[in-house]
């Protein structure tokens, strides 16, 4: 499990987590409410079960 990206959005933060599940790369993005510099509540979670990087190539 790795955490390749985090973004501070003031009173919210985005944390990206990457792991391998059943041989497939899975990306999770968690949007947290931040209080006193620490994450306190998960506001939203987005999961990508499949590699979607090909979509980036299609937009170029």
């Amino acid at each position: 499990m790795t955490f390749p990206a985090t973004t501070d959005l003031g009173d919210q933060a985005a944390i990206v987590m990457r792991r391998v599940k059943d041989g497939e790369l899975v990306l999770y993005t968690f949007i947290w409410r931040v209080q006193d510099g620490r994450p306190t509540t998960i506001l939203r979670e987005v999961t990508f079960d499949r590699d979607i990087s090909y979509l980036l190539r299609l937009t170029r």
Side-chain angles (χ1 to χ4, degrees), residues 13-45:
I15 301 170
V16 176
M17 182 181 81
R18 175 177 41 207
R19 73 181 184 115
V20 176
K21 177 181 175 185
D22 300 327
E24 296 271 340
L25 178 65
V26 181
L27 295 175
Y28 302 89
T29 300
F30 299 96
I31 308 298
W32 288 84
R33 177 172 289 123
V34 176
Q35 190 172 21
D36 297 325
R38 299 186 55 86
T40 58
T41 306
I42 293 178
L43 301 175
R44 180 165 294 166
E45 181 263 330

